[in-house]
């Protein structure tokens, strides 16, 4: 399987497309305005200690002083184990004015408040979290299988030494190979060595480490994969990535390419159009069938339909072939749209247990290429396939779209006829409550047209019923559901 990454970089946004066998499989988007400070490591200077709040203000070189609470100050005991000092009654026993500390941002500045800090430094990668100065290995509680927990602990323990620190194995590491875990450990150790080297150079407030931006994270996460090349359309970003890979992941350096072409890099594989199609509810299948994908707050539902596909043999074969084709499309759409959480798939009903088993197997095989953890729970009593996919980042729809201001997220509008009847009821209500000589209705062009044409007789009867004149005026800025009834 051939795979490559395309990086499209502008001053305000970075987009990454993963192409496998010439087909877009994943899209990652990061906007500069949303790239915060969380994860950044600084040398900070205590500018003011506040005993009454058990906190201190720390100057880390930003416009606003950052905030460090006593509970976020970590010291170590004689056994080199972390001891959080929340129980200390006076923060002045821990820090003093003018003291320099190594700190990490855990919460971005908000409004008038500065960033929230901790002295408990951690460096995350795809599978591991490095803990400098804490020589032990922890495994995420979400990895429930004892055998897998022991396997991961044994592999990572070989990388721990008293001098550098230990690791926490993240949930995403479940099922990861030994080489992938060791590669992550080597990367994090190099990164920490770089931070320490910078610390020796700086004797005052300075940033020692900035949380990796999208392009760097992508290269880090794809180390050891079957990636053939990485095309970058920005010379400056290419040079930065080149320097980064040479220092930390040299096996990725030969795969980097600067793309100077006149055609936008995303046009090479029709990526822009594929992104647009990934926002549609309806996903056509080659056979003529289609999927309907609805993303809600609680879950994502996927409905499979035969559509125009009539098959060549019998109905059962047609249904089975459509469902098999749908499994490939569903696996791709989950990655492309980055759908997570609970996912319910309504395959076309199959009578044969053998067909059901083969459809489930096909879905499992198709999802095997997905690096994000998935769990398929099989067919429910209602014939629906229940599965989960780990949430790793915002879905494509949530990144690119916002709630419709017209329908407020309902996905539908009241019909013109419904709005006309609402207007007539409102006129009757206002007429009973207030004394008025006549009424003027302000409505959208479509509703005004319906009132003076299709609903003319009903409007005329209403005028007779209330004994007052009703006029209709177009309000171009109104949506189909908006109207006003004004008394004259």
């Amino acid at each position: 399987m051939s795979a490559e990454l395309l990086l499209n970089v502008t001053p305000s946004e970075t987009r990454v497309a993963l192409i496998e066998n010439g087909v877009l499989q994943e899209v990652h988007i990061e906007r500069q305005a949303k790239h915060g400070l969380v994860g950044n490591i600084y040398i900070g200077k205590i500018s003011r200690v506040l005993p009454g709040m058990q906190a201190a203000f720390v100057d880390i070189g930003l416009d606003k002083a950052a905030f460090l609470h006593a509970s976020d100050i970590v010291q170590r005991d004689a056994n080199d184990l972390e001891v959080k000092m929340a129980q200390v009654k006076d923060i002045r026993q821990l820090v003093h004015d003018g003291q320099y500390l190594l700190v990490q941002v855990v919460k971005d500045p908000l409004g008038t408040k500065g960033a929230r800090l901790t002295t408990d430094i951690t460096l995350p990668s795809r599978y591991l979290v490095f803990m400098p100065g804490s020589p032990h290995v922890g495994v995420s509680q979400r990895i429930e299988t004892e055998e897998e927990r022991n396997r991961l602990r044994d592999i990572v323990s070989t990388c721990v030494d008293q001098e550098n620190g230990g690791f926490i194995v993240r949930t995403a590491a479940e099922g990861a190979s030994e080489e992938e875990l060791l590669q992550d450990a080597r990367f994090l150790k190099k990164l920490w060595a770089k931070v320490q080297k910078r610390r020796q150079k700086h004797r005052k407030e300075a940033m020692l480490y900035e949380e990796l931006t999208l392009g760097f994270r992508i290269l880090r996460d794809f180390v050891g994969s079957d990636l053939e090349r990485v095309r970058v359309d920005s010379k400056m970003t290419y040079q930065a990535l080149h320097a980064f890979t040479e220092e930390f992941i040299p096996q990725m350096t030969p795969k980097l390419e600067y793309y100077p072409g006149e055609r936008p890099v995303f046009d090479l594989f029709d990526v822009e159009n594929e992104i647009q199609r990934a926002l549609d509810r309806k996903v056509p299948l080659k056979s003529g069938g289609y999927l309907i994908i609805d993303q809600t707050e609680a879950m994502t539902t996927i409905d499979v339909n035969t559509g125009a596909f009539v098959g060549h043999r019998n109905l059962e074969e047609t249904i089975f072939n459509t469902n098999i084709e749908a499994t490939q499309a569903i696996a791709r759409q989950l990655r492309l749209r980055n759908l997570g959480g609970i996912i319910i798939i309504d395959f076309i009903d199959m009578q044969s247990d053998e067909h059901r088993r083969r459809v489930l197997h096909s879905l499992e095989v198709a999802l095997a290429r997905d690096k994000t953890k998935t769990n398929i729970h099989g067919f429910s009593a209602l014939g629906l396939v229940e599965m989960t996919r780990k949430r790793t980042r915002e879905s494509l729809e949530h990144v690119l779209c916002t709630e419709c201001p017209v329908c407020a997220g309902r996905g539908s509008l009241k019909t013109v006829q419904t709005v006309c009847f609402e207007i007539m009821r409102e006129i009757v209500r206002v007429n009973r409550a207030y004394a008025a000589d006549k009424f003027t209705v302000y409505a959208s062009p479509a509703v005004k047209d319906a009132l003076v044409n299709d609903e003319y007789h009903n409007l005329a009867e209403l005028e007779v019923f209330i004994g007052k004149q009703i006029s209709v005026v177009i309000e171009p800025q109104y949506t189909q559901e908006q109207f006003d009834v004004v008394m004259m």
Side-chain angles (χ1 to χ4, degrees):
M1 180 182 68
S2 64
E4 65 177 281
L5 287 171
L6 307 178
L7 269 73
N8 169 233
V9 183
T10 61
S12 56
E13 181 184 59
T14 299
R15 300 184 301 167
V16 180
L18 172 63
I19 310 295
E20 292 179 354
N21 295 329
V23 179
L24 176 66
Q25 296 292 341
E26 294 180 17
V27 177
H28 301 255
I29 299 173
E30 182 176 80
R31 288 171 176 166
Q32 188 64 32
K34 289 193 173 183
H35 184 64
L37 304 175
V38 173
N40 291 2
I41 299 174
Y42 298 84
I43 289 181
K45 180 181 180 182
I46 302 292
S47 57
R48 186 182 176 194
V49 178
L50 307 171
M53 296 178 63
Q54 280 291 78
F57 285 123
V58 184
D59 181 6
I60 56 174
L62 302 178
D63 293 337
K64 298 174 186 172
F67 183 81
L68 177 66
H69 193 267
S71 61
D72 293 315
I73 300 174
V74 173
Q75 293 189 346
R76 304 190 183 278
D77 62 14
N79 297 318
D80 207 24
L81 296 175
E82 293 180 1
V83 180
K84 289 210 171 188
M85 305 305 289
Q87 67 272 23
V88 174
K89 293 182 179 179
D90 191 344
I91 191 175
R92 287 174 293 190
Q93 297 175 30
L94 303 175
V95 295
H96 57 80
D97 288 352
Q99 181 181 351
Y100 284 93
L101 289 174
L102 190 66
V103 291
Q104 187 169 33
V105 178
V106 292
K107 191 174 182 180
D108 281 319
L110 184 64
T112 58
K113 297 180 180 179
R116 178 79 179 256
L117 303 176
T118 181
T119 63
D120 187 12
I121 309 297
T122 57
L123 287 175
S125 65
R126 181 174 180 82
Y127 298 121
L128 304 174
V129 177
F130 182 58
M131 302 177 295
S134 178
H136 69 274
V137 175
V139 181
S140 168
Q141 294 295 324
R142 293 188 180 181
I143 300 177
E144 298 175 356
T145 310
E146 194 61 34
E147 183 181 350
E148 177 67 1
R149 292 173 64 86
N150 290 335
R151 182 187 77 89
L152 294 170
R153 187 179 285 107
D154 290 343
I155 293 172
V156 177
S157 294
T158 62
C159 305
V160 176
D161 57 67
Q162 294 289 329
E163 185 178 341
N164 286 312
F167 297 91
I168 294 174
V169 181
R170 306 178 70 174
T171 309
E174 187 171 4
S177 68
E178 181 176 356
E179 179 54 35
E180 287 176 317
L181 293 168
L182 296 179
Q183 180 65 50
D184 258 21
R186 287 193 291 268
F187 168 79
L188 290 173
K189 284 187 174 182
K190 283 185 179 180
L191 207 54
W192 178 240
K194 185 79 171 179
V195 172
Q196 290 183 305
K197 191 174 179 181
R198 288 176 180 168
R199 186 182 187 183
Q200 292 170 1
K201 290 182 180 178
H202 296 280
R203 297 299 175 189
K204 58 180 183 178
E205 308 88 76
M207 182 170 68
L208 305 181
Y209 166 78
E210 184 176 15
E211 179 60 21
L212 299 178
T213 55
L214 178 60
F216 297 89
R217 292 199 309 272
I218 287 290
L219 290 186
R220 176 196 71 193
D221 293 347
F222 277 89
V223 172
S225 66
D226 298 328
L227 207 60
E228 291 185 351
R229 59 180 170 179
V230 181
R231 300 195 217 190
V232 187
D233 66 359
S234 161
K235 186 72 172 177
M236 185 181 299
T237 302
Y238 166 76
Q239 291 170 344
L241 292 175
H242 194 277
F244 173 78
T245 55
E246 280 194 324
E247 182 170 5
F248 296 108
I249 38 180
Q251 63 269 46
M252 292 290 284
T253 305
K255 299 178 181 180
L256 278 175
E257 289 183 16
Y258 170 57
Y259 176 77
E262 292 185 3
R263 280 181 73 195
V265 68
F266 271 22
D267 284 2
L268 298 180
F269 294 95
D270 199 31
V271 173
E272 298 289 9
N273 289 329
E274 286 289 341
I275 292 174
Q276 292 303 315
R277 285 191 281 268
L279 299 176
D280 294 338
R281 286 183 69 228
K282 188 173 182 178
V283 180
L285 303 176
K286 290 181 180 178
S287 65
Y290 59 90
L291 310 177
I292 296 294
I293 301 177
D294 286 311
Q295 186 181 349
T296 69
E297 194 73 26
M299 67 183 72
T300 297
T301 61
I302 303 175
D303 186 29
V304 183
N305 298 279
T306 55
F309 183 45
V310 295
H312 302 290
R313 296 182 183 178
N314 55 46
L315 178 61
E316 187 67 19
E317 280 296 317
T318 300
I319 290 172
F320 172 67
N321 290 333
T322 304
N323 284 338
I324 287 291
E325 183 185 7
T327 60
Q328 308 300 312
I330 288 169
R332 175 173 179 259
Q333 291 298 322
L334 293 181
R335 294 176 68 188
L336 181 56
R337 299 171 186 238
N338 194 39
L339 298 173
I342 299 171
I343 297 160
I344 305 295
I345 306 172
D346 185 9
F347 286 107
I348 308 166
D349 289 341
M350 294 171 285
Q351 302 301 319
S352 167
D353 289 339
E354 174 64 15
H355 282 178
R356 284 188 174 202
R357 187 188 63 78
R358 288 168 64 183
V359 166
L360 271 182
H361 178 69
S362 178
L363 182 61
E364 289 170 355
V365 171
L367 288 170
R369 296 192 294 271
D370 191 349
K371 289 189 178 220
T372 302
K373 181 178 169 61
T374 57
N375 282 313
I376 302 174
H377 300 283
F379 282 92
S380 70
L382 295 176
L384 306 172
V385 171
E386 300 173 354
M387 65 169 288
T388 58
R389 186 173 185 268
K390 183 176 172 60
R391 295 186 192 272
T392 54
R393 51 195 167 90
E394 284 189 301
S395 70
L396 188 65
E397 181 181 318
H398 285 159
V399 171
L400 298 180
C401 304
T402 188
E403 186 180 86
C404 171
V406 178
C407 72
R410 290 201 318 264
S412 59
L413 290 175
K414 294 176 183 175
T415 64
V416 170
Q417 187 180 42
T418 299
V419 178
C420 289
F421 290 167
E422 285 185 355
I423 289 172
M424 294 179 197
R425 287 196 299 271
E426 180 66 8
I427 291 172
V428 172
R429 187 190 69 79
V430 174
N431 183 63
R432 287 175 177 171
Y434 305 98
D437 296 327
K438 62 179 183 177
F439 293 93
T440 300
V441 176
Y442 293 89
S444 66
V447 172
K448 190 261 185 185
D449 184 63
L451 284 170
V452 299
N453 292 298
D454 298 345
E455 303 299 332
Y456 170 75
H457 294 294
N458 290 328
L459 197 63
E461 286 181 8
L462 182 59
E463 284 185 318
V464 173
F465 178 72
I466 64 175
K468 292 165 187 175
Q469 181 185 348
I470 302 171
S471 58
V472 184
V473 178
I474 288 179
E475 178 53 64
Q477 300 301 317
Y478 277 10
T479 65
Q480 187 164 295
E481 294 186 357
Q482 288 181 295
F483 65 84
D484 279 315
V485 174
V486 179
M487 299 181 298
M488 298 295 184

